[in-house]
Amino acid sequence: MTLIGTARPDRTAVRPAAPVRDAAPATTRASRVRRALPARLRHHPLTRPGALLALAVVVVVLAWALVPGAFTSHDPITGVPADALAPPGAAHWFGTDHLGRDLFARTVHGTALSVRAALVAVAVAAAAGSAVGAVAGFVGGRVDDVLMRGADVLLAIPNLLLSLAVVTVLGFGTLEVALAVGIASVATFARLMRGEVLRVRRATYVEAAHLAGAGRASVVVRHVLPNSAGPVLALTTVELGGVVLAVSALSFLGYGATPPTPEWGSLVAEGRNYLATAWWYSTLPGAVIAVVVLAAGRLGRAVGRPGRTAR
Amino acid sequence: MTRYVLHRVVGAAAVLLAAFTAAFAVLYLLPSDPVSIMLDQSSTGGYVDPAQVDALRARYGLDQGPLQQYLGALGRTLRGDLGTSVASGAPVAGLIAAALPETARLAALALGLAVVGGGALATAATWTRSARLRGFLLALPPLGVAVPTFWVGLVLLQVLSFRYPLFPAVGNRGVASLVLPAVTLAIPLGATVAQVLAHGMGAAWRAPYVETALAKGATRTRVQLHHVTRNAVLPALTLLGVLVGNVLAGSVVVETVFSRQGFGRLVQSAVTTQDIPVVLGLVVVAAAVFVVVNLLVDLAYPLLDPRLTRGRAAA
């Protein structure tokens, strides 16, 4: 896994009572709230203020994706021409575009497509990558060599170029973009899964299961896969931010949804022609992407940490 | 030493061959029909003449079996012939050769900015004794990785070209037109450099030799320059290949935002027109650049780190 982030001293190691860490920032409100929690939760990295904020952002965005109508009463597709290019204000939080459509409504309604594309991409990458990595780890030998050299080669082609090549063949559209981004990230998951399988296979309990007469398949399903799932899940969370970025970049380049349908990347692209006259057009939808990616990354690091320090 | 060089060169060639194979497989063997994609582009209305389809198939060698197609394309690529563009009919190698110098200039400036900026940030963050400053500095790289490149570019354009006309908004003319694209491109790269270097420098500051140096009376600045940086920079060199690959990929977005000509713009237009031979050529060239940079780093490594060659001689 990544090396970054191990520099901080491990907080979970001082779990019982933990006077060492609670002594220093004694009186901030956040630390008082955290002390009210049960000990197990109190020291979980998810309860740190930054991670909680990130979690809130992600929850809001998921709500936008599920029930966009609850957050805005404006129509995302048909605008009011008289209101064209109105600056942000009480009536239009993000202002309006050149057709008088409310940009906040378009951002909120575009969330579903963008989030769904990101989830599809990360699911494709995790499923295909884990399958390849698991096979490589189990079978070993020549199969392992071939599959892992293949993964190395995919890593030699920059991700964006690889997904652009796939999009060239698949054609344009949100689903195509999602598949392309997913395929481009398969190698990362394959490598991680292979490493995890190799690690778990050597564990004592797997050896014990073999000795107890369990078949190969049952060892794989009951022991190896569940025990290697944690790090893969953590990587899924970490990758999510990068995938949102990649999907919106492809959509910005014009390979995503077709025009009237709003999508995060294409919203920013539409504002390109109005940079000089309407600063809000590209800036505010783009800021939403940045905040979401940042939050997803922060959450990924919080989820990934306990798995890393447990060993 | 000769064996080491030979080993690396053969390995690099193998990766390149495999990258070509992977790109070819994606572009020509995925369940899609290149000819119908090409015809869609040069669209002659809804009607497609079957004879024309056959002629196109023959012209691009698509009437042969997959293996013959692959071997033919490989042979031509080895001779430097990357095929012809479907959209313009020009040779692909010529298109790429014309686009690369412009992007090379942009990439060099962006890489320079990223290394200097990321290095300075990592140095300051590990050198300082103020926990607050360190926390602030170390919070910047995740931010730099999270902001979309296309958005940063547009915001810079908006402020520094339209609001305050300091830099030209579009085009390839002059050094001034290079500044904003290079800064945009450098932000995610610099963030990566800073993260890796800060990690390495943090580890170096906790090493026993640093404690010894401090105990003998060296100042923090001296320790930073003579011990920490020298030890942390070497492993970070391996990052260079990835960075160069990312510059090329990032140029797709940046050259589109700033309406510049170059490698990335060529990628963007080739994908938009689904010009498969051009896309294949661009991917192969990008992989070749990555492989060559990695090879150079590998070859330079023993020269920069005497421990490697000495360890080998002892073993």
Side-chain angles (χ1 to χ4, degrees):
Chain A
M1 282 215 42
T2 47
L3 301 163
I4 302 153
T6 46
R8 202 188 298 264
D10 177 13
R11 292 220 168 85
T12 50
V14 285
R15 188 167 294 149
V20 188
R21 83 159 300 273
D22 276 6
T27 50
T28 65
R29 179 185 288 174
S31 72
R32 247 182 290 141
V33 171
R34 291 179 77 197
R35 246 176 306 160
L37 295 168
R40 245 183 77 86
L41 273 182
R42 196 186 312 160
H43 298 291
H44 194 281
L46 262 182
T47 60
R48 301 187 62 203
L52 281 180
L53 193 64
L55 188 65
V57 168
V58 169
V59 167
V60 166
V61 165
L62 286 180
W64 283 3
L66 291 175
V67 279
F71 293 88
T72 169
S73 53
H74 292 282
D75 189 297
I77 306 291
T78 46
V80 183
D83 291 352
L85 296 178
H92 303 286
W93 291 359
F94 283 12
T96 60
D97 67 4
H98 58 294
L99 298 175
R101 297 174 294 195
D102 182 75
L103 278 169
F104 181 70
R106 282 179 68 71
T107 308
V108 169
H109 281 273
T111 309
L113 269 187
S114 299
V115 166
R116 207 181 305 151
L119 290 179
V120 166
V122 107
V124 166
S130 305
V132 170
V135 168
F138 283 125
V139 180
R142 190 150 298 176
V143 174
D144 183 21
D145 280 347
V146 169
L147 288 178
M148 282 305 112
R149 285 301 82 75
D152 285 349
V153 168
L154 287 188
L155 292 173
I157 305 175
N159 267 3
L160 183 66
L161 284 183
L162 194 57
S163 44
L164 284 173
V166 178
V167 153
T168 311
V169 180
L170 291 182
F172 306 151
T174 308
L175 184 65
E176 284 81 357
V177 161
L179 284 177
V181 170
I183 290 172
S185 327
V186 163
T188 323
F189 280 92
R191 285 193 133 186
L192 175 72
M193 188 63 178
R194 172 177 174 274
E196 283 304 306
V197 166
L198 289 183
R199 179 180 68 82
V200 174
R201 252 175 62 158
R202 279 195 301 270
T204 341
Y205 54 84
V206 171
E207 214 172 305
H210 273 302
L211 288 175
R216 228 180 132 102
S218 93
V219 169
V220 170
V221 173
R222 298 184 57 173
H223 298 286
V224 179
L225 287 185
N227 280 296
S228 40
V232 173
L233 209 64
L235 181 65
T236 309
T237 330
V238 172
E239 287 277 299
L240 204 54
V243 162
V244 170
L245 264 188
V247 166
S248 60
L250 289 185
S251 156
F252 171 81
L253 290 170
Y255 308 134
T258 37
T261 316
E263 213 177 35
W264 285 354
S266 58
L267 274 177
V268 178
E270 282 165 21
R272 265 187 82 192
N273 297 329
Y274 301 91
L275 286 181
T277 47
W279 63 266
W280 55 90
Y281 198 157
S282 283
T283 308
L284 296 179
V288 168
I289 305 178
V291 168
V292 170
V293 174
L294 197 61
R298 182 70 187 79
L299 214 55
R301 272 177 289 145
V303 173
R305 195 167 290 160
R308 212 174 304 157
T309 51
R311 275 181 277 131
Chain B
M1 193 59 201
T2 332
R3 266 192 65 170
Y4 175 77
V5 172
L6 208 64
H7 191 81
R8 293 292 145 146
V9 170
V10 170
V15 171
L16 198 50
L17 174 68
F20 175 82
T21 312
F24 186 86
V26 165
L27 287 167
Y28 282 86
L29 305 181
L30 272 190
S32 79
D33 185 3
V35 167
S36 62
I37 291 178
M38 293 172 191
L39 279 180
D40 271 354
Q41 291 314 313
S42 56
S43 77
T44 47
Y47 174 71
V48 177
D49 183 8
Q52 195 192 352
V53 172
D54 286 343
L56 259 180
R57 283 189 173 280
R59 183 164 153 222
Y60 289 96
L62 295 169
D63 49 350
Q64 300 164 337
L67 192 64
Q68 276 100 330
Q69 281 185 43
Y70 168 69
L71 290 178
L74 182 61
R76 268 175 276 128
T77 304
L78 287 177
R79 276 179 270 123
D81 172 13
L82 294 172
T84 49
S85 157
V86 178
S88 67
V92 175
L95 286 175
I96 297 178
L100 270 181
E102 216 36 77
T103 303
R105 251 177 299 221
L106 174 64
L109 186 58
L111 272 178
L113 286 175
V115 168
V116 171
L121 195 152
T123 307
T126 50
W127 175 81
T128 181
R129 296 167 92 167
S130 147
R132 193 163 291 186
L133 181 61
R134 175 175 308 153
F136 169 74
L137 288 174
L138 290 182
L140 291 179
L143 191 68
V145 178
V147 289
T149 324
F150 53 88
W151 182 66
V152 173
L154 289 180
V155 170
L156 286 178
L157 265 181
Q158 201 163 273
V159 178
L160 297 178
S161 289
F162 291 116
R163 175 95 22 111
Y164 308 101
L166 298 175
F167 298 99
V170 293
N172 287 44
R173 237 170 272 147
V175 184
S177 75
L178 213 55
V179 174
L180 291 186
V183 169
T184 309
L185 205 46
I187 285 175
L189 301 176
T192 313
V193 171
Q195 278 177 327
V196 171
L197 274 183
H199 179 76
M201 288 180 177
W205 268 109
R206 289 188 298 276
Y209 55 76
V210 164
E211 212 166 315
T212 311
L214 287 173
K216 285 170 77 179
T219 61
R220 280 178 76 80
T221 310
R222 194 187 151 78
V223 167
Q224 176 78 46
L225 293 178
H226 287 258
H227 301 273
V228 171
T229 304
R230 287 179 55 148
N231 277 288
V233 160
L234 216 45
L237 260 185
T238 46
L239 200 65
L240 202 61
V242 177
L243 289 182
V244 170
N246 284 345
V247 165
L248 280 182
S251 73
V252 180
V253 167
V254 169
E255 291 180 351
T256 305
V257 167
F258 291 94
S259 312
R260 293 175 61 82
Q261 298 302 315
F263 180 91
R265 199 64 186 289
L266 193 57
V267 174
Q268 193 262 342
S269 69
V271 174
T272 307
T273 55
Q274 296 185 291
D275 198 337
I276 290 178
V278 179
V279 175
L280 177 65
L282 289 164
V283 171
V284 169
V285 167
V289 169
F290 174 82
V291 165
V292 168
V293 171
N294 267 346
L295 180 66
L296 292 180
V297 170
D298 275 350
L299 294 182
Y301 223 89
L303 303 178
L304 297 174
D305 189 351
R307 284 173 302 185
L308 276 184
T309 32
R310 240 177 265 155
R312 188 156 317 196

